[in-house]
Every structure is written in C-alpha cells, then in structure tokens.
Amino acid sequence: LDGARGAAPGRDWSTALSRLERATDRWQPSAEQRLELGRARFDVQLEWAGYELEEGRFRSAYRRAESALGILGRGSPEAGRALDVQEEALRRGTVRVAALPVISTEAVRPRLPAGLLDELNDELALTRWAREPLFVEIVDPQATAREFRREGLHRRGVSTRDAALLGQRLGAGIVVVAEVDTVRADTAERRATRRPARTRAGVDTAYTVEEGRRELWVNVNLAVVEVDTRRVLETDRVSGQASRRFRRGGFAGDWRTLSLSREERDLFDEDAAEDDEHELVRELVVGLSDRLARAVYDRALRYVD
C-alpha cells in the first residue's frame, strides 16, 4: 500500500496498480486487508480516469472508470464517483451524427430493384441506428429524413455545403452522406429444361423449366462531412451482395391451357416469382445495412479521443 501510494502522486498509476495487485496475489491478505487493497486500487483507477477526462481522452476515462467499478462493484458506496466520471466523459465526448437517407445517382436509379432504397433506409432507421455504440449519438432518423426531404435533397443530390448546413440545423457534429453509385443484377448457372405436356384439349406440346441463381450487387459511396469546417473528412465504399436460387416455368402461349399438376402450376406462379425477388432484395438489405452501420460507427469513433 505504501509503495502504491508513493507511485500514484507522480501519475505512475500502472506501477501503483501493479504493486497493489502483487500484494493481493502474493501475500494472502485477510478479508479486511483485501478490502483495503481493493479500495486503494479503485482510487488509483479513478484518479487515472479523472486525469484522462481532464486531458480530453474521454473514451480512456470511461474505460478506467469501468475498471474501477469492476473492483468494488456497482453496488458499492464508492460506485457513484466512478459513474459520475463515466457520465461526464459521455457528456463531453459523444459525437452527434446525422446519417442522411441513402440515395442513388441519377444514372443508377432506373436499374435499382423496386423498393430497395426504401427498405434499406427503413432497416437503418428502425434497427441499425437504434444500436449506437458509446460516444456516438445518431440524430433522430425521422427528423433527419424530414429535413432532407424538405430541402429536396432526395431529388437533386447532396453537396458538401448542403450536408454541413443540414447538420448544423440538426445539431450534429458530423454528417454522413450515402449514395448508391453501382448496381448489378445477373443470373448465374442458368439452365433450361424442356418438359413434355398436354393441353386441356389433349394436344401434345411442351414447356420449359428455367433454373439458376439470381445475383444482386450494390455499391454505396460514403462521405463523412464535418459541420463546422464544411469539409469532407474521409470517404469510403461499402458493398453488399445477395444471391438466391430460382426455378420457374415458361411457355410460348397461355400456360393456363396446359394440363398440369399442382407442383407444375407453381412454376408459373407470378406472385411466387415476385416473392423470390423481394427475398433477394431483403437479403441484400440486411447485410448491406449492417455493413453501412458498422462503417458509420467506426468512422464516427475516430473523432472521439
């Protein structure tokens, strides 16, 4: 204890903690001595946390206070001091982020699958932006989308100046602009098989069964804009892809004139084909929204000391 107390005033907190931990591990202290050593370790961690807080290293201060809480427990009489440090670190260190709705370039817009952007923005707003890490606060997505539409940015695109002004109105420190600039839909492993059939009138004919895999790939450009300086801090590209097997029937005339089993009729079900396409989009949206959210959070945390 004396050695630790001698090291702490010189801000040699790692040495102080090492001595206290060595005493606990080597000398088999009594329960009373163990409590005294624990309190001393708590004080060292908290003093270290306070120093980090004053130096503006908010994440480090939070972690040191968390280590202090792990020594005596959150139910201890001393816990309030550590919780106060954490609260102050979050108050001073949290960055507010306005994540603008994902849009697309004009060239890509006609090729986007129906509903993709709407589903992607809903998934981000309702799920991903509700899981902020410590020190990141996402501005209310509904308020952001409302201001975004009010300015007509969903139609004409977003300049750096537009993003900064919008972020200023929303009280954000940084703004994230996301734009789909590439989309590719393709069919792989395609194979067509001819199947004999008869019409309801008894005429011999044939239809085809086409099988393969539908693939969808999308690329999103991210730009992180600092509100105060109105400059782009960094850019990134985030991609998402999905694939899904399909199997459907084709016939030169009206397939309803064919005499088919129930399983064969299902091959011509247009609703089922639309459902398959929707599931493909949904699979892409889930994966892409997760990668977009992680990219945004990772970049936001770079601006928290």
Side-chain angles (χ1 to χ4, degrees):
L1 276 169
D2 287 344
R5 287 166 180 156
R11 296 178 181 170
D12 190 1
W13 294 292
S14 59
T15 298
L17 288 171
S18 177
R19 289 174 177 172
L20 291 169
E21 288 163 1
R22 187 165 65 245
T24 303
D25 294 339
R26 293 181 61 185
W27 303 114
Q28 299 177 346
S30 66
E32 185 177 343
Q33 290 171 327
R34 188 177 292 276
L35 180 59
E36 187 176 1
L37 288 167
R39 284 174 175 156
R41 288 169 58 208
F42 178 92
D43 288 340
V44 171
Q45 288 280 19
L46 202 57
E47 187 177 338
W48 197 348
Y51 176 77
E52 295 292 275
L53 184 63
E54 292 308 311
E55 291 295 306
R57 293 189 284 268
F58 305 115
R59 295 170 72 188
S60 177
Y62 188 97
R63 287 194 296 268
R64 289 294 165 193
E66 188 66 26
S67 296
L69 286 169
I71 295 169
L72 296 182
R74 292 180 178 272
S76 65
E78 296 87 351
R81 293 161 53 204
L83 292 171
D84 287 343
V85 170
Q86 289 187 322
E87 184 179 345
E88 183 65 9
L90 286 171
R91 187 186 69 80
R92 292 168 57 183
T94 295
V95 58
R96 278 175 57 85
V97 179
L100 303 187
V102 182
I103 58 175
S104 69
T105 63
E106 188 174 349
V108 160
R109 200 168 298 138
R111 302 200 305 274
L112 281 175
L116 189 148
L117 284 184
D118 288 340
E119 286 212 31
L120 179 58
N121 284 314
D122 285 347
E123 182 72 15
L124 287 167
L126 298 175
T127 305
R128 308 301 175 181
W129 299 146
R131 300 175 184 171
E132 307 133 307
L134 290 172
F135 293 100
V136 176
E137 179 187 352
I138 298 293
V139 177
D140 178 9
Q142 289 187 343
T144 301
R146 190 163 50 246
E147 290 295 322
F148 188 75
R149 289 192 300 270
R150 183 178 297 163
E151 294 298 316
L153 300 180
H154 59 298
R155 292 188 300 269
R156 61 182 174 86
V158 186
S159 69
T160 302
R161 180 178 179 276
D162 290 331
L165 290 174
L166 188 59
Q168 189 175 46
R169 285 202 298 276
L170 293 166
I174 61 175
V175 177
V176 177
V177 180
E179 185 177 58
V180 176
D181 70 343
T182 310
V183 61
R184 185 174 70 241
D186 203 357
T187 302
E189 302 172 13
R190 174 177 259 161
R191 184 183 64 178
T193 305
R194 182 179 172 85
R195 284 191 179 183
R198 302 188 76 179
T199 67
R200 295 182 185 277
V203 178
D204 289 336
T205 184
Y207 67 91
T208 59
V209 176
E210 188 178 30
E211 301 175 86
R213 189 177 72 249
R214 284 278 293 155
E215 297 178 339
L216 184 59
W217 182 86
V218 168
N219 182 80
V220 181
N221 274 332
L222 285 182
V224 179
V225 178
E226 188 175 42
V227 172
D228 287 344
T229 61
R230 297 188 182 183
R231 65 186 180 94
V232 176
L233 297 175
E234 58 181 308
T235 60
D236 195 12
R237 293 170 69 85
V238 179
S239 297
Q241 58 184 353
S243 66
R244 189 173 179 85
R245 303 292 306 182
F246 70 88
R247 189 166 178 263
R248 58 181 176 238
F251 183 60
D254 184 354
W255 68 269
R256 296 173 185 81
T257 63
L258 300 176
S259 179
L260 302 173
S261 68
R262 178 167 184 167
E263 181 181 353
E264 289 174 318
R265 288 197 301 272
D266 288 343
L267 294 171
F268 296 89
D269 188 340
E270 294 180 2
D271 290 338
E274 289 181 7
D275 289 344
D276 284 345
E277 191 70 12
H278 181 264
E279 287 301 318
L280 178 66
V281 170
R282 182 65 190 162
E283 182 182 330
L284 181 136
V285 161
V286 171
L288 180 58
S289 64
D290 179 63
R291 282 187 283 276
L292 281 171
R294 283 191 281 114
V296 169
Y297 290 144
D298 288 347
R299 276 142 193 80
L301 287 171
R302 294 177 187 177
Y303 306 103
V304 181
D305 291 329

